[in-house]
Amino acid sequence: MSSVEPFRKLVKLVARAFYDEEIPPKGANRSKSDKSDNRGIAVVILDALTRRQWVKEEDLARDLRLHPKQLRRTLRVLEEELLILREHRRETVKGAKIYNAAVAAVSEQPTEREGEEKPKVHTHSYCCLDYAQVYDIVRYRIHRSKKKIKDELEDRNTVQEYICPAASCGRRYSALDALRLINVYDGNFHCELCDAELVAESDKLAAAELGDGDGEDNARRRRREKLKELYDKLEKQLRPLMEQLARVKDLTPPDFGSLEAWEKKAIATGRLAGTDPSTSDLSKPSHGQGPTGTPMPFLGETKVEVALAGGDSKKEEEKEEAAQLKVLPPWMIRQGMNLTASQRGEITKQEVKGEDGVSPDGPDVKDVKPADEDKEEVQRKIQEEYLKAYYAALLQRQQQTEQQAAQPVTAETPVAATDDEEAGERQVGMKAKRDASDEVEGEEEDEEVEWEDATAAEPVDTTVASQDTSFTNGDVPDTAPDAGGEFDDDDVDWEEG
Amino acid sequence: MFFHIYLERNMQLHPRHFGPHLRDKLISKLIQDVEGTCSGRHGFVVAVTAVETIGQGLIRDGTGYVTFPMKYQCVVFRPFKGEILESVVTMVNKMGFFAEAGPVQIFVSNHLIPDDMVFQSGDVPSYETSDGSVRIQKDSEVRLKIVGTRVDATEIFCIGTIKDDFLGLIGNPGGGA
Ligand SMILES: [Zn+2]
């Protein structure tokens, strides 16, 4: 049901296809101390991220037994590659608490780190996979690499690209920018930013390896072969990835939203599920819904969670729950520190009641200890009594009317009339349905038919017996669509003729 | 490619031109305004051939200028990808050469110049074959094919190739073949 699994697999495949090697950090700011071998680390990190949603980078480093610096370096690269989202925020105690609550709500074994955490005021970084982006990025990447080989293979007239050789710049230009790039003094192309002379990008994939061959024709043929080989290899090696891409094509990628949104949602869903521990598979509802709250078609009903986030709504919720006399989980009370004392007292009292095993509603409670009850409870009782009385009265009246209806046997006409009406109503409903399906045929014609129908049916209704009416009524609409079609045809013929 | 199309334009005229020659003034101003301009949508306006209608003038609040909606017919030139053009070389450098076909500027990068033509720097930079029989330099006439266009709102720039059959040098500077 959940669309997460295919996307997780996609990320894993991507990791192995493109990030298995040592990742060269982009830009020239690579220091000499970076010599450490980080082969495959990206794969490990990406895999770990598929099992998490938003995660604090410190926690991730600890889980993976990685040095935070090393982790951060790789994450930065992955961020540049647009695979992951990162957020940095100056951590307050409150923020850390929210995050911990969210993690506790989402993780499968929630109790693990609740006590140990002592949040300090620091800037913390969080990261999360961006599945939707990954999907797009990978497709683009494959498209680009294929196009590059293909273009060269077919010797198509590609647009030459130029690169700024300056290490700090590295800007790319295309031949379409040529007019802007000419330097008036030497007539060559210069970078717009740093004024370095641009070099043409050598995208000849095969030429570099082949050297100057024997005879131009021969070299050309060999180059083509080489390119073809390269292309086939690309196709073959990327096939699993491409298949996975095709598989996730129509699925909605899991979207956790921004860190803040995710936390709110995770806590909210955690709270909902917390009342019933058996349904603790939290990841599914949270995946099913994007940050904007657009529900997926098959997980429509999870819209409750948004309202629970703020403090005010929390209070309201608890009031509501108090009214329903639900047993509140202990952590919930701890969460709602901003409760008024009376509310908390109320809740605990009710909880005690519930735990005693006394059924909270019904006359028992009233009989046992009526003095204990506070005003609300009393009011509720009164309402209940009133309702009971009301229903009793209602029942009585109903019985009376039934008796009345049974007594005069001779009064057939009203009964027939109601029958008639019912038949008519049903007929109308049917017709409406038919109209809806016939809308394609042009609405004006249909309306006309209905008109005729109605006028034809009305006199029949009054004169003929109820069964007959329903029969004719049932008959006429059957022909109605046909008639409509005929009208339609006639119209067209007329216009054409 | 050339097109003969209808275009519309609102012309503003200063009240001092109001008089018996108002219409002529409008037309000459229109020609002055639009000929030689370029729009990404229609291409370069080469020439106004006819003025179809001149609508009711509308006095603009505050200025006294009057706006006339005009509909006119004109020849436009819009280059397309794949189109073959004949052009005159304007500049040669080691990255390739620039050429002009009427108002359009075209750049031919060196990898779209046949492999047997190499860049020769010097007083007159050029691309020439090893035997010197073909030589492309400034003011040479070249037939090329457009392989890419960059269309902005007010500008069209093309890149071309001469790496195909029947493309390349068609005339030397000074008119010699
Ligand atoms: Zn630069």
Side-chain angles (χ1 to χ4, degrees):
Chain A
M1 205 62 195
S2 150
S3 66
V4 188
E5 212 37 63
F7 278 96
R8 281 187 182 154
K9 194 176 176 202
L10 175 68
V11 172
K12 287 176 182 175
L13 284 170
V14 170
R16 280 154 186 78
F18 299 123
Y19 301 98
D20 210 8
E21 309 261 305
E22 180 157 357
I23 300 176
K26 276 192 182 156
N29 50 357
R30 181 173 184 175
S31 65
K32 271 112 198 160
S33 61
D34 281 7
K35 284 283 158 57
S36 66
D37 180 31
N38 61 3
R39 272 179 68 109
I41 282 186
V43 177
V44 174
I45 292 171
L46 285 172
D47 275 11
L49 282 174
T50 62
R51 293 189 294 271
R52 289 163 176 78
Q53 299 183 3
W54 277 97
V55 62
K56 195 188 278 182
E57 287 173 14
E58 273 177 17
D59 294 347
L60 186 64
R62 200 178 49 209
D63 290 351
L64 297 177
R65 310 273 190 280
L66 277 174
H67 196 278
K69 254 190 183 171
Q70 201 180 4
L71 176 75
R72 215 164 299 138
R73 202 160 47 222
T74 315
L75 285 178
R76 208 155 32 221
V77 177
L78 293 178
E79 187 188 16
E80 273 171 13
E81 302 270 313
L82 301 176
L83 296 179
I84 60 170
L85 294 170
R86 291 178 85 203
E87 264 185 47
H88 315 283
R89 71 172 177 202
R90 190 153 170 81
E91 203 69 277
T92 56
V93 177
K94 191 176 154 211
K97 252 188 195 160
I98 292 174
Y99 170 73
N100 286 338
V103 167
V106 168
S107 68
E108 271 78 10
Q109 51 276 64
T111 53
E112 195 184 343
R113 60 164 67 106
E114 273 192 48
E116 71 178 272
E117 207 75 28
K118 276 198 198 105
K120 290 165 229 146
V121 183
H122 277 315
T123 303
H124 284 296
S125 305
Y126 299 81
C127 61
C128 176
L129 273 172
D130 190 347
Y131 288 97
Q133 182 96 282
V134 168
Y135 173 63
D136 289 339
I137 286 289
V138 171
R139 276 189 316 160
Y140 182 64
R141 190 178 197 135
I142 292 177
H143 168 79
R144 283 294 299 242
S145 42
K146 275 188 175 173
K147 187 175 184 300
K148 195 166 176 177
I149 300 182
K150 240 185 193 161
D151 281 354
E152 201 177 321
L153 191 64
E154 289 162 17
D155 210 10
R156 199 169 312 150
N157 304 315
T158 49
V159 177
Q160 176 73 45
E161 295 206 322
Y162 302 96
I163 307 174
C164 176
S168 56
C169 178
R171 256 185 84 126
R172 300 174 75 91
Y173 299 92
S174 93
L176 290 166
D177 302 316
L179 215 51
R180 296 188 282 137
L181 301 174
I182 314 169
N183 183 294
V184 279
Y185 299 111
D186 61 3
N188 287 321
F189 294 163
H190 284 243
C191 179
E192 282 184 319
L193 287 182
C194 58
D195 206 37
E197 199 176 318
L198 300 177
V199 292
E201 191 206 21
S202 55
D203 56 355
K204 295 279 179 279
L205 293 165
E209 296 155 44
L210 279 167
D212 44 359
D214 36 325
E216 264 179 42
D217 213 39
N218 208 358
R220 198 185 166 83
R221 209 187 62 232
R222 267 170 53 195
R223 210 180 71 196
R224 284 186 61 85
E225 276 170 15
K226 184 94 185 162
L227 282 168
K228 191 93 188 68
E229 197 180 304
L230 204 65
Y231 190 78
D232 289 344
K233 219 155 100 188
L234 181 86
E235 286 261 286
K236 204 177 104 203
Q237 291 183 354
L238 291 183
R239 184 161 303 139
L241 189 56
M242 252 114 77
E243 279 166 6
Q244 192 62 26
L245 280 173
R247 223 167 286 150
V248 301
K249 192 173 67 133
D250 296 322
L251 298 175
T252 312
D255 191 343
F256 306 122
S258 69
L259 178 59
E260 201 183 339
W262 170 79
E263 280 174 346
K264 280 182 182 171
K265 206 162 50 185
I267 291 171
T269 44
R271 187 171 299 164
L272 280 185
T275 55
D276 184 3
S278 65
T279 61
S280 66
D281 194 1
L282 298 164
S283 54
K284 276 173 191 172
S286 67
H287 293 323
Q289 222 168 9
T292 47
T294 46
M296 283 175 65
F298 45 86
L299 292 168
E301 82 276 43
T302 37
K303 64 174 180 181
V304 204
E305 49 197 333
V306 189
L308 306 182
D312 290 338
S313 54
K314 213 183 288 169
K315 255 188 241 170
E316 275 173 23
E317 180 209 3
E318 259 145 21
K319 261 189 215 159
E320 223 175 42
E321 292 214 335
Q324 288 166 4
L325 288 178
K326 258 191 191 157
V327 180
L328 288 171
W331 56 265
M332 177 97 107
I333 295 166
R334 216 193 313 143
Q335 266 292 311
M337 289 303 209
N338 47 2
L339 288 176
T340 61
S342 72
Q343 270 176 323
R344 204 183 304 163
E346 185 184 297
I347 290 160
T348 44
K349 220 184 289 168
Q350 278 154 3
E351 251 184 292
V352 170
K353 233 182 278 166
E355 278 164 295
D356 281 341
V358 182
S359 105
D361 46 10
D364 288 357
V365 181
K366 203 176 81 185
D367 289 345
V368 176
K369 30 181 176 176
D372 266 4
E373 283 163 8
D374 47 23
K375 278 179 193 167
E376 254 186 51
E377 197 76 342
V378 170
Q379 207 162 14
R380 209 171 56 79
K381 285 291 169 290
I382 291 168
Q383 278 178 355
E384 241 169 51
E385 290 290 331
Y386 174 77
L387 264 179
K388 223 180 272 175
Y390 175 72
Y391 279 127
L394 207 68
L395 194 73
Q396 209 183 350
R397 222 177 111 182
Q398 214 170 355
Q399 279 168 351
Q400 272 177 6
T401 49
E402 266 174 39
Q403 277 173 356
Q404 273 178 4
Q407 272 168 3
V409 193
T410 49
E412 265 185 316
T413 33
V415 178
T418 49
D419 264 6
D420 228 353
E421 269 171 27
E422 267 174 25
E425 270 170 25
R426 231 179 280 141
Q427 218 52 63
V428 168
M430 272 172 67
K431 224 188 277 176
K433 246 182 232 169
R434 226 186 282 272
D435 283 350
S437 63
D438 283 346
E439 261 177 2
V440 197
E441 293 189 2
E443 287 159 59
E444 288 169 50
E445 278 78 14
D446 268 0
E447 268 173 26
E448 251 180 292
V449 174
E450 257 194 283
W451 259 93
E452 280 180 10
D453 229 13
T455 47
E458 260 178 278
V460 174
D461 241 340
T462 49
T463 52
V464 191
S466 61
Q467 281 187 339
D468 282 14
T469 329
S470 67
F471 180 74
T472 43
N473 262 359
D475 230 2
V476 173
D478 266 347
T479 60
D482 288 3
E486 273 173 30
F487 283 147
D488 217 343
D489 284 353
D490 281 355
D491 260 8
V492 172
D493 278 346
W494 209 80
E495 269 182 46
E496 274 175 358
Chain B
M1 210 176 288
F2 291 96
F3 298 90
H4 200 192
I5 57 169
Y6 287 100
L7 289 178
E8 284 171 27
R9 187 179 175 87
N10 287 329
M11 295 298 298
Q12 286 189 32
L13 204 63
H14 192 276
R16 71 167 174 269
H17 301 297
F18 296 172
H21 302 297
L22 186 148
R23 210 185 139 84
D24 296 340
K25 184 66 199 172
L26 264 180
I27 292 171
S28 67
K29 192 160 185 288
L30 174 77
I31 289 170
Q32 204 174 35
D33 277 10
V34 299
E35 276 185 8
T37 61
C38 170
S39 80
R41 187 171 154 78
H42 299 106
F44 298 91
V45 178
V46 179
V48 174
T49 55
V51 173
E52 193 76 4
T53 55
I54 299 177
Q56 294 274 306
L58 200 72
I59 301 174
R60 285 175 59 102
D61 275 353
T63 63
Y65 274 82
V66 173
T67 306
F68 293 92
M70 293 181 79
K71 191 175 177 191
Y72 59 98
Q73 212 174 2
C74 61
V75 175
V76 293
F77 174 59
R78 169 93 163 64
F80 290 95
K81 203 170 158 177
E83 189 176 347
I84 310 282
L85 290 178
E86 295 182 357
S87 62
V88 177
V89 175
T90 54
M91 194 186 108
V92 177
N93 67 18
K94 64 179 177 184
M95 294 300 189
F97 65 82
F98 288 85
E100 278 177 3
V104 188
Q105 286 201 292
I106 304 140
F107 174 63
V108 179
S109 67
N110 55 15
H111 82 299
L112 295 178
I113 295 171
D115 293 330
D116 61 341
M117 299 187 79
V118 290
F119 177 68
Q120 304 286 339
S121 58
D123 257 7
V124 186
S126 67
Y127 283 89
E128 54 181 284
T129 52
S130 54
D131 60 358
S133 61
V134 182
R135 184 181 156 88
I136 294 174
Q137 64 189 56
K138 190 172 185 302
D139 295 331
S140 296
E141 289 166 27
V142 167
R143 183 183 295 126
L144 50 80
K145 186 170 88 177
I146 292 174
V147 293
T149 57
R150 178 201 194 96
V151 178
D152 298 331
T154 59
E155 200 179 59
I156 298 179
F157 182 67
C158 299
I159 53 175
T161 179
I162 56 168
K163 210 177 186 180
D164 213 335
D165 293 342
F166 309 111
L167 300 182
L169 192 71
I170 49 172
N172 287 316

